Each structure stands twice: as C-alpha cells, then as structure tokens.
C-alpha cells in the first residue's frame, strides 16, 4: 500500500526524483558507472553542481552578488559558521528565540561575543512568534528561524533591520515566495524541502564576508567554499544530485509560486478541519501557524487516541506523531506531499468524529 | 560496455552494494517508503547506524573503550577537530608530512599551538615516506597519513610513540590488517573503501577526550557525537546506509584478511608489469609503493601516449589519469576493484609493448 508520508524530516520527496536518484546509483548519465563511484571533478558531476547552484539562484530570484554553496554538517554547523564569519571581535549579535533550534544557534554564538535575545517565546512552549521586538542598531547581525518544525510556528514577516539579516530556513525553504534579497545569509539543511539529509544549502551575499578581523578555520570560512565552488574537498555528491533533481522538479512545475499555492491549499484544508472538528485543537497561535508543520491535539486523548491511531495506521498515514516536547500529532506538509494525502488525513479525522 | 573503474575517489563500490542502495531509494526495508524520506530516529534507520558501528568495531577488531562515529565534513573537517579535541592549551603536536593532505592537516593545527614537522618528503615531490624521524615525547599527539592517494605512497609501518597516535586512513582504511589498537584516533572519509562521499568515519579512544582545557564548539567536539551516537543532528543517512552495506559485504566475504590478500595480488600484478614493461616506470619509492594507488609514467610520452590513451578508452578503463601534481597515470585499486580489472589493464600495457 502506498503510504501518506507526513514525516517531519527527513521527509517526502517527489516520486520522480526518487526514481531518477535510484537509477543514477546504477547508471549515471548513461556512463555505465554509478553516480557515487566517479570523481566529483568529472565533467558530469561538475555539471550537477553547476545546475544545482543555478537553480537555487533562479528559483529564489536572487540578484547579482550572492553565492550559493552546498556544504556539510547541517544547520547545526551553520550555528557555528555564522558567528565565525559575521560577528566582529568584541562584536554583538541579536537572536530571535522561537524554538529549540533557534536556542541552539544562539548558544553557539555566545562563545564569540555579546549576544542579545531580542524576543523569546519559551514562556508558552514556543507556541507563538514574538512580535514588537527591537533589534539593536549596533548588532553585527540579526538571526531568525523562519519555521519551527517542532512547535508548528512560522514567521509570516521579517523585521527590517539595520544590520546583517541572517535566517535559518531549514524547514520552509522553497515553500513560499519571499523577497530573498532582504537577507544577507540564508541557510537550510536539505532534508525538508530540498533533498535527502547530507548537504546544507547556504546563500550568502559576497560583500558581507571577510570583515570581522577573525582568523577563521579553513573549513568554517565561507570564502573557502565560495572560491572552490563547494568543491574545496569532496562534496556529498548523492545529496547534492538529489537536491538538484528536486529543484529541477520544482522549476519544471512552475517554481515557488506554484508550490506556494498548493502549500496554502493543504494548510488551509487541514487547519480548517482542526478548527471545525470538535475532537481536535491546534497548539500554535493561529496567526503564527506553520504551513509546513501543523501541530494538533485530541481534546480527549483517553476517549479517542486508540481509535485514531488505529485508523491512521489502517489509512497508511506515516509520521504523524507529535514531537515529545509538544505531544499530540504533527502533520508535516512539505512541498512533495500531495494534496491527496491531506485529504486522506481529513477523511480519517471526519470519520473519527462520526464514530465518536 | 562494463567499465573497469580505477577512479581515485569517489571510487568503485561493490556491484551488490550499488544494487541494494538503489533499491532502498525506492523501497527501504519493505516499508513502502524510501530510505531518504523517513526519520533518522525511526527504528529502521537507527538499526542501520547500530549495524554500521558494530561492523567497524568487528572488522577492525577494536578492543573495548573505542567509540565509532559517522560524521560529516570529510577528512578536511577532521584536520580541525583533531587539534581542537587533542591539543592542550599551549600544547604541541607532531606531524609527518607525506603529501598535500598531510600538509593541510598540519596547517590547520598551527592555529592551536606549537606544531613540529617530524618528517617531510616534499623535497622529492612526496614520492617516498620519511623514515628515522623522532617524535618528541612531549607532543600531545603524532599525526600521520597512512596512504597518499596523489603520490601513490603508503606507510608500511607506524612508529611507536609516547604520545597520542592519530592517523588519517582516508584512502586505505579496511584494505589491510593493522593493529588498530595502536592508534588513539583514526579518521577516514568514506569515499574510498567504505562508501559514497558524504560521511566521515571516526574511531576514537574515549579516555583521550575532554583533557585539553579548551572550550570546543558543539559540533566540533567528539564527545557531542559520542553522547548521541552520531545523531546529535540529522546524519547523512544515505551515505551511512551505503557504507554499512559495504562493510557488510566485506564481512560476509571474509573481512579484512580476505580483501588484503586480493589487494596484494592486484598490486603485485600491476607493479610487476610496471617494472617488467620497458615502456613504463613507477614514480614512488619501491619500498613505499601504495597498494591502493599505483602511479606510473610512460617513459616516452610523445611516442606512446596517444596510442595508450586510445587503447585504455577502447578497453573501458576509467579514471586512470594521474593527478596534475604527478602527471602520467594512476591506477587506484580500492577494495571493490576486481582482479579482472587489473588483468584488463595489464593486457593493454602488454599490447602497447607488442605494438611499439
């Protein structure tokens, strides 16, 4: 039976991408060699890297002056690279603390200088996005997290700041159109909307680098990777290839505008049902609800949890368990999740209500 | 036509491994889900990580007290992590400089303290392994590179040292049996004998960590990853799975003793022909010849290069170009390269001699 894959990440990828990735493991570009057993400097692999970089620039509508990198280490290594590359000696940074990952990013920066938390929603288990905060004008940069997978919140707008603007978009990149040029540095682990785990996308404005006075270790210096077009050392070829296929799929179908429209339909359907159905309740503040991850609870777990869990299992619904720090359920609706999977979930929610 | 894949890395992997990896992209463990679209914390993926760690310990015959990690960032990030984790404040390290990568490792350590180069073969373009050097007894650690892919040299023995013993085994790990317990820390990028690019194996003796007095950034601290069994953040699932398959293949066929015997046969055949055939000459010192990468030249390029290159192409020989810093040819004979591929290359070398 085909599953409906609501996994929070690593998450569903387009079926056509999985098919092509699978084929390339056996025979890549009709070379009679596997993608993963040839040199990263062969012209076929260099072409993959070039196409992946070009697709990111095109899909995001980036102006001149940005570099696109495919690195390793996940967002967690970016938590370290951001202050290393952007915080001046004796400098200052401002962090918006909207969840576990935002907090980890802030903690890593504290080894480098003065870190101000400009807003923090931990008082209500990160169930909302702080508003009305001020970013100090003398900060070297402002860091935010656009979407919080665990808590199901998402920033609907970004503050105008008088310093560098840095955003961790790991869990909603390529899901909605933004003016990406308002940011100086964007990073994202691939494993939500872009590809398999194993590579990290970094989009950085070239002119902001090399200005801190710090000596940066080679592998942590964005300029190392810009100079070598992400091939300073052997890149994670398979993860980049599969990301390129996913970006190509997005472009061929109509780009970010196309997927944003579908993502809106999926989220509106599901939140509509959560609000309508008396058995369920959402956990995040309504105005801050994530269109990627919808967190919700059964109002009466003792009465309905067993039936609902059984019905989900019978219906082929995968990955709906909530994160332990929120509980309940979490439906992750990343780009590749079809509308029909949301409809299948809704059908089960309605059926539970009918049986109750 | 089936290729003979002599790529220097990423390199040939066993055909059965490629087949299983390709299938898992479509349907992993009969879950009707792809390996790359499910949670790394699912029991199926945790089982992969556990098996991979256990296979490394078993194949290397490691005693108690070692941890096995699968990280990201390649050997190049280890160049930084090693001094961060092992060099004391105001400490000292000793490096053996046997090639480009050994040099990069040494340069990264210089930001941390006093670095002594105990031996250096750059005077003869790294064509030999220095011998008779002394490692200072007050060094925090000694760092060596067991095999030098670019120059085709390999350490046949390792010095006894009175400090921690660290070895970069990126290009010959699992190819020959050693007393691995003589080392305190071993690291290796996966993309030679273990799997696809995208993960780095680290084997570390637990008791050596946490003793430098340094504050180590979270992602660069081996203890971070030991505590979370390589799942502090999302691991590169595909690269680890495919590495696990390759390790399983090695175990099922007889382990390191089995492959060492085949690797010896391959290397002896090829070096035998290089030495016998008057058209060719090896570049590395005979006693230091690598059994993974054989570098050789045509004695008269103007007379034979065009014919030889055409014959290689017609014979389906892939990846035989030498590195630009040595020139000529380089035959990489990693674990998965069958003896028959070496025989195919020898046939072409003999045919060139007959035609000359």
């Amino acid at each position: 039976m085909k599953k409906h894959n609501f996994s929070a990440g690593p998450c569903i990828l387009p079926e056509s991408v999985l098919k092509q990735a699978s084929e390339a493991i056996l025979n890549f570009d009709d070379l009679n060699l596997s993608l993963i057993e040839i040199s990263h400097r062969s012209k076929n692999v260099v072409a993959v890297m070039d196409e992946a970089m070009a697709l990111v620039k095109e899909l995001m509508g980036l102006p001149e002056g940005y570099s696109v990198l495919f690195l390793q280490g996940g967002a967690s290594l970016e938590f370290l690279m951001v202050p290393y590359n952007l915080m001046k000696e004796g400098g200052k940074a401002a962090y918006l603390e909207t969840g576990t990952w935002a907090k980890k990013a802030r903690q890593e920066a504290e080894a480098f200088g003065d870190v101000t938390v400009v807003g923090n929603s931990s008082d209500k288990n990160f169930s909302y996005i702080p508003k009305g905060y001020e970013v100090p004008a003398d900060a070297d940069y402002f860091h935010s997290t656009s979407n919080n997978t665990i808590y199901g919140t998402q920033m609907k707008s970004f503050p105008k700041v008088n310093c560098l603007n840095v955003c961790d978009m790991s869990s909603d990149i390529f899901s909605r159109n933004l003016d990406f040029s308002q940011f100086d540095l964007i990073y994202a682990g691939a494993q939500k909307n872009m590809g398999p785990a194993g590579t990290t996308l970094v989009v950085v404005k070239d002119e902001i680098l090399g200005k801190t006075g710090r000596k940066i270790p080679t592998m942590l210096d964005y300029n190392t990777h810009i100079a070598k077009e992400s091939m300073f050392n052997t890149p994670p070829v398979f993860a980049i290839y599969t990301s390129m296929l996913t970006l190509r799929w997005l472009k061929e179908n109509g780009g970010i505008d196309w997927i944003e429209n579908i993502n809106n339909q999926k989220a509106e359907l599901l939140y509509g049902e959560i609000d309508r159905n008396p058995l369920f309740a959402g956990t995040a503040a309504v105005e801050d609800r994530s269109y990627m991850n919808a967190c919700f609870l059964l109002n009466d777990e003792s009465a309905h949890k067993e039936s609902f869990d059984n019905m989900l299992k019978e219906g082929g619904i995968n990955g709906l368990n909530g994160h332990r720090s929120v509980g309940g359920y979490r439906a992750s609706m990343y780009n590749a999740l079809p509308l029909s999977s949301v409809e299948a979930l809704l059908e089960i929610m309605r059926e539970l209500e009918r049986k109750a």
Side-chain angles (χ1 to χ4, degrees), chain A:
Chain A
M1 180 179 62
K2 175 80 187 133
K3 298 276 179 73
H4 299 289
N5 188 2
F6 288 89
S7 289
C11 72
I12 187 167
L13 292 172
E15 219 173 311
S16 61
V17 167
L18 294 175
K19 192 159 173 292
Q20 291 169 78
S22 173
E23 285 167 3
I25 299 298
L26 297 177
N27 182 7
F28 170 53
D29 271 5
D30 281 325
L31 295 172
N32 284 321
L33 289 165
S34 167
L35 169 71
I36 61 175
E37 60 172 6
I38 61 173
S39 173
H40 53 293
R41 303 199 187 281
S42 64
K43 72 175 195 302
N44 303 68
V45 176
V46 170
V48 168
M49 182 70 93
D50 288 346
E51 184 172 350
M53 293 190 297
L55 282 165
V56 170
K57 288 184 181 178
E58 183 181 348
L59 286 163
M60 296 176 85
L62 292 173
E64 289 292 301
Y66 283 85
S67 288
V68 172
L69 301 173
F70 289 90
L71 305 181
Q72 294 185 67
S76 294
L77 194 60
E78 298 310 309
F79 299 167
L80 174 63
M81 290 177 73
V82 165
Y84 241 132
N85 283 268
L86 302 184
M87 207 193 299
K88 295 194 174 69
E89 292 279 5
K92 183 188 273 193
Y95 278 72
L96 183 64
E97 205 153 307
T98 53
T100 302
W101 297 105
K103 184 177 169 182
K104 288 189 187 199
R106 184 261 297 168
Q107 287 170 330
E108 213 58 35
E110 283 175 342
F112 291 81
D114 181 14
V115 173
T116 305
V117 177
V118 297
N120 185 336
S121 52
S122 65
D123 59 331
K124 293 185 180 171
N125 199 27
F126 297 119
S127 61
Y128 68 101
I129 301 288
K131 288 159 202 93
Y133 51 87
E134 297 228 347
V135 175
D138 63 342
D140 291 323
Y141 65 88
F142 167 67
H143 180 281
S144 64
T145 311
S146 58
N147 186 76
N148 301 281
T149 326
I150 296 176
Y151 308 96
T153 64
Q154 188 174 33
M155 293 177 76
K156 302 300 172 182
S157 64
F158 296 85
K160 298 247 174 294
V161 294
N162 289 313
C163 57
L164 300 181
N165 201 346
V166 178
C167 192
D168 175 358
M169 294 195 186
S170 290
S171 58
D172 68 354
I173 191 129
F174 300 117
S175 74
R176 56 174 172 167
N177 238 329
L178 295 171
D179 172 11
F180 293 103
S181 72
Q182 72 187 292
F183 301 100
D184 299 283
L185 193 155
I186 296 166
Y187 63 88
Q191 68 270 12
K192 313 286 186 177
N193 279 326
M194 198 176 77
T199 189
T200 318
L201 173 67
V202 174
V203 172
V204 58
K205 197 184 270 187
D206 299 324
E207 66 180 30
I208 72 171
L209 299 173
K211 295 185 172 171
T212 65
R214 289 183 196 277
K215 180 165 165 37
I216 309 172
T218 310
M219 279 292 285
L220 303 182
D221 188 340
Y222 291 122
N223 274 329
T224 297
H225 303 290
I226 291 172
K228 298 289 185 180
E229 296 186 313
S230 301
M231 292 218 191
F232 171 73
N233 64 338
T234 314
V237 174
F238 174 79
I240 295 169
Y241 175 70
T242 308
S243 296
M244 183 279 284
L245 293 177
T246 309
L247 295 168
R248 204 192 258 172
W249 166 85
L250 183 55
K251 180 187 166 182
E252 283 170 358
N253 280 286
I256 297 182
D257 285 336
W258 165 73
I259 202 72
E260 181 173 18
N261 183 271
I262 297 173
N263 287 337
N264 288 348
Q265 290 178 51
K266 291 186 291 187
E268 282 157 19
L269 263 181
L270 180 55
Y271 284 119
E273 179 63 17
I274 290 168
D275 291 341
R276 186 208 61 75
N277 191 320
L279 303 190
F280 296 97
T283 62
V286 171
E287 71 275 17
D288 301 323
R289 280 174 166 174
S290 167
Y291 274 34
M292 293 285 99
N293 317 93
C295 296
F296 58 99
L297 306 170
L298 276 165
N299 286 318
D300 186 346
E301 281 213 348
S302 62
H304 302 302
K305 182 167 167 40
E306 197 182 331
S307 315
F308 189 51
D309 288 352
N310 283 334
M311 289 162 71
L312 292 174
K313 197 169 175 186
E314 282 161 24
I317 305 282
N318 179 69
L320 210 75
N321 283 345
H323 190 274
R324 64 188 177 281
S325 51
V326 176
Y329 300 92
R330 170 173 53 174
S332 295
M333 301 171 285
Y334 295 112
N335 283 0
L337 185 87
L339 194 63
S340 57
S341 287
V342 175
E343 284 164 348
L345 173 59
L346 256 59
E347 191 40 57
I348 293 170
M349 294 168 79
R350 291 189 197 112
E351 176 71 12
L352 186 75
E353 184 192 12
R354 280 193 292 271
K355 284 185 179 169

